Amino acid sequence: MKKTFEIKGIDLTSLYGVGDKNISFLEKKLPITVNVRGNSIFCQGLKKDIVHFDLVLSQMIDSIKKGNNLTTKDINQLIAMNEKLDSKSESVENVIFYGKKGPVFPRTDGQKKLVKAFFKNDIIISVGPAGTGKTFLAVAYALSLLEKHEIEKIIFCRPAVEAGENLGFLPGDLKDKIDPYLAPLYDALHELLPKNKIQNFLDRGIIEIIPLAYMRGRTINRSAMILDEAQNASSIQMKMFLTRLGIESRAIITGDESQIDLPKKSNSGLVDVLKILKNINDIGIVKLNKQDIARHHLVKHIIDAYSKSRK
């Protein structure tokens, strides 16, 4: 089978790579013959391999249009993903971000709903059990906005509430004292970006990772604001966070109603906000469940067992 692909609307060097290295890499990985002339790509091979090439090429073009920079590692990830898919309709339609370990994309129906909500709303509230990808997808989405220059800054924050144990006196400066609370946000960043790039962003103030209390009094313009572990924010703190939203900014709130660590007499801001804002347009509320858990297969069973024990 032979097929010609005409490439339009993107920078050819970004797609082909320097010295056509991206196309050469595809030719080596797939059992096809590829020739490039200007904006035309000529392919020859078995039908199934041409279809595979078409899928990968489409996703490469889509990624470049979103402002991403492709590497051969990214292309290899796309090839591997599409080998597991039966048809184009099932292919990865929306790669959110190309991280250091490859493309980030929604893997479950719930995660797909969450990603759609990201692109549709300026405020998104994502609720679900541990392991459903709430924080990871939020961080990936924020980084994609930064890469496409739709925002200038990302602010990650969490309530500084201890999960059952007392951390006691922590030595060091302010950063040393609060970092234990913010570790999950650093973990997500390190999954997506090289260490030197993260440090560069932190040093330049392009990324801020702070306790929720440090948001008070600020107006955040042209930024992505992410509030993680929102179930441990008070109602007052939740209102404070949401009203920081400035011009061309987006806010993402993630949390798990089953893991509230606040004192018994305190109301969770997450529980309250789900009731108060449920009927406001342009605020997306997405509820994930145990079917969306993407961690070790036993995590799903552990969460299910604990849920049953409380009944």
Side-chain angles (χ1 to χ4, degrees):
M1 179 181 177
K2 295 181 180 179
K3 187 169 183 178
T4 302
F5 299 89
E6 299 292 333
I7 310 302
K8 297 179 181 178
I10 62 169
D11 177 60
L12 294 178
T13 302
S14 298
L15 179 65
Y16 297 165
V18 178
D20 296 343
K21 70 175 182 178
N22 291 346
I23 300 300
S24 297
F25 181 78
L26 274 171
E27 189 175 23
K28 289 177 182 178
K29 297 293 290 187
L30 299 173
I32 56 175
T33 302
V34 183
N35 291 302
V36 175
R37 296 175 193 168
N39 69 331
S40 299
I41 300 176
F42 302 92
C43 290
Q44 184 172 347
L46 297 176
K47 182 178 179 180
K48 66 180 182 65
D49 297 320
I50 297 295
V51 170
H52 194 174
F53 177 83
D54 189 3
L55 288 172
V56 175
L57 184 67
S58 297
Q59 291 163 6
M60 289 168 63
I61 292 170
D62 183 56
S63 176
I64 291 167
K65 285 181 177 178
K66 291 178 180 178
N68 297 316
N69 297 315
L70 283 175
T71 67
T72 53
K73 185 176 180 180
D74 299 327
I75 297 168
N76 196 46
Q77 287 283 335
L78 289 173
I79 292 170
M81 284 190 298
N82 281 289
E83 284 174 345
K84 300 176 183 177
L85 301 170
D86 296 325
S87 68
K88 188 169 183 177
S89 63
E90 294 177 298
S91 66
V92 181
E93 190 174 351
N94 287 311
V95 173
I96 309 169
F97 180 72
Y98 282 83
K100 69 177 185 180
K101 295 184 178 180
V104 177
F105 59 95
R107 297 175 181 271
T108 68
D109 289 340
Q111 289 183 356
K112 288 174 184 175
K113 289 178 183 177
L114 178 57
V115 170
K116 286 181 180 178
F118 286 154
F119 290 103
K120 186 179 178 182
N121 304 281
D122 286 340
I123 297 177
I124 303 95
I125 304 171
S126 171
V127 181
T132 50
K134 305 181 300 295
T135 301
F136 185 72
L137 291 174
V139 173
Y141 175 62
L143 289 173
S144 76
L145 294 175
L146 188 65
E147 190 173 69
K148 290 180 284 187
H149 305 290
E150 292 186 26
I151 58 172
E152 296 172 351
K153 190 171 189 173
I154 303 173
I155 299 177
F156 301 114
C157 60
R158 293 180 112 213
V161 176
E162 296 165 5
E165 66 271 5
N166 189 344
L167 295 177
F169 176 76
L170 293 172
D173 60 16
L174 176 63
K175 183 178 183 300
D176 295 325
K177 293 178 190 296
I178 64 176
D179 273 359
Y181 296 104
L182 307 173
L185 294 170
Y186 284 107
D187 290 344
L189 280 174
H190 283 288
E191 281 287 309
L192 294 164
L193 293 177
K195 187 175 181 180
N196 61 337
K197 192 167 186 178
I198 296 171
Q199 193 58 53
N200 178 265
F201 281 161
L202 290 168
D203 291 343
R204 294 164 59 195
I206 294 172
I207 289 178
E208 280 187 59
I209 304 179
I210 58 175
L212 175 57
Y214 285 70
M215 292 287 282
R216 188 173 300 280
R218 301 178 66 178
T219 299
I220 312 297
N221 294 319
R222 205 167 158 72
S223 300
M225 304 167 14
I226 297 177
L227 172 56
D228 192 38
E229 295 291 326
Q231 74 275 3
N232 289 328
S234 68
S235 295
I236 293 173
Q237 286 178 319
M238 181 64 73
K239 181 181 177 182
M240 178 271 291
F241 174 81
L242 287 168
T243 53
R244 301 309 93 201
L245 195 67
I247 297 168
E248 295 184 59
S249 285
R250 296 167 175 84
I252 303 171
I253 297 167
T254 69
D256 179 358
E257 294 168 283
S258 71
Q259 293 190 13
I260 298 172
D261 299 310
L262 292 167
K264 290 183 179 180
K265 292 184 179 180
S266 301
N267 291 333
S268 167
L270 178 63
V271 174
D272 287 346
V273 82
L274 288 171
K275 299 173 185 175
I276 295 168
L277 303 184
K278 65 180 180 180
N279 295 319
I280 297 180
N281 292 332
D282 300 323
I283 295 180
I285 297 176
V286 179
K287 294 193 175 184
L288 304 173
N289 57 48
K290 64 182 181 181
Q291 302 305 320
D292 300 304
I293 293 173
R295 289 182 185 169
H296 192 288
H297 72 277
L298 285 175
V299 173
K300 188 183 298 185
H301 297 298
I302 291 167
I303 289 171
D304 194 32
Y306 270 92
S307 297
K308 289 177 181 177
S309 71
R310 295 191 182 101
K311 292 180 181 179

